[in-house]
Structures are given as structure tokens and as C-alpha cells.
């Protein structure tokens, strides 16, 4: 899969205009409205709901692509800096991502739970 370029992200965001990104429930509702609108193509209200859902899902996807681009560029920057003699570690990576509003707190909690479970099972 080819990721969007920064120029494409900007262009698509401008084209989309203001739209709230769908939360997980919004994604579910949007998918249900797509399915309903597909089965009832003459129902104008269903089409309107599907289009509104599509905008919210598109905004979510653009936001996710933008955050992923931040993660990729941050990792690449720190790796190149290390290859050139700097000494960044994973704590520095976490700090850089946090500074750029990439919140991994939930991911750290899950990883910690998995590590504790593995320790109890003697896997670590």
C-alpha cells in the first residue's frame, strides 16, 4: 500500500473541509449506513446518512495517515541521527512522539499488561 504524501494529505484535507473524525461507533454506524443505502438506493435520507458517514470516516483515515506520517518521519529522523553518531534510545523516541501529540499511553498500558502476563508464565 502506498501511503499518501504530505501534499496529498493537505490537498485531501482541504477538499474535505471541516469534518469531525468518526470515533469507533461512528465508523460502525457509517458502515451500516453504507450497507443500508446500497440496498435502498432510492431512499434519499439513507444516501444523505451514508455520505455524512463517508465524510467522517474519510476524516478519520486522513488523521490516521497524518499521525502515521509523524511516527514514520520521527523514527527515520532518530535512526539517521544514530547512524551519524547521536545516541537516541526508545525513551527519546517516546518523548519525541509525545511532543508531536502522538499519544501511546494506551499502547504502553497494553504492552505492560502483556509483559506482566508473560513474566507470570515464565516467558520473559
Amino acid at each position: 500500500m502506498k501511503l499518501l504524501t504530505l501534499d496529498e494529505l493537505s490537498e485531501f484535507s482541504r477538499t474535505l473541509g471541516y469534518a469531525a473524525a468518526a470515533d469507533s461507533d461512528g465508523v460502525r454506524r457509517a458502515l451500516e449506513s453504507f450497507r443500508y443505502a446500497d440496498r435502498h438506493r432510492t431512499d434519499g435520507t439513507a444516501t444523505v446518512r451514508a455520505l455524512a458517514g463517508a465524510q467522517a470516516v474519510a476524516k478519520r483515515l486522513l488523521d490516521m495517515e497524518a499521525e502515521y506520517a509523524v511516527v514514520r518521519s520521527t523514527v527515520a529522523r532518530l535512526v539517521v541521527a544514530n547512524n551519524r553518531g547521536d545516541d537516541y534510545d526508545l525513551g527519546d523516541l517516546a518523548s519525541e512522539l509525545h511532543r508531536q501529540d502522538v499519544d501511546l499511553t494506551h499502547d504502553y498500558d497494553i504492552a505492560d499488561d502483556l509483559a506482566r502476563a508473560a513474566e507470570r508464565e515464565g516467558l520473559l
Side-chain angles (χ1 to χ4, degrees), residues 103-119:
D103 184 11
L104 298 176
T105 304
H106 181 71
D107 302 279
Y108 297 147
D109 292 341
I110 292 170
D112 195 40
D113 290 343
L114 290 172
R116 276 197 299 277
E119 288 168 352

Side-chain angles (χ1 to χ4, degrees), residues 10-21:
S10 295
E11 175 190 343
F12 296 155
S13 292
R14 278 191 311 277
T15 300
L16 185 60
Y18 174 77

Side-chain angles (χ1 to χ4, degrees), residues 38-106:
D38 188 42
R39 286 191 307 249
H40 303 90
R41 292 174 187 240
T42 59
D43 184 344
T45 303
T47 302
V48 168
R49 280 196 314 266
L51 290 172
Q55 285 184 322
V57 171
K59 175 65 172 151
R60 180 183 176 103
L61 292 173
L62 287 174
D63 289 351
M64 291 171 63
E65 283 251 3
E67 184 172 288
Y68 188 52
V70 167
V71 171
R72 290 173 56 93
S73 66
T74 301
V75 169
R77 183 172 45 82
L78 295 182
V79 167
V80 167
N82 275 359
N83 289 343
R84 292 177 176 231
D86 288 335
D87 188 25
Y88 290 105
D89 61 25
L90 292 176
D92 296 319
L93 174 61
S95 177
E96 284 289 312
L97 291 174
H98 180 73
R99 187 179 64 76
Q100 296 183 61
D101 296 325
V102 176
D103 184 11
L104 298 176
T105 304
H106 181 71

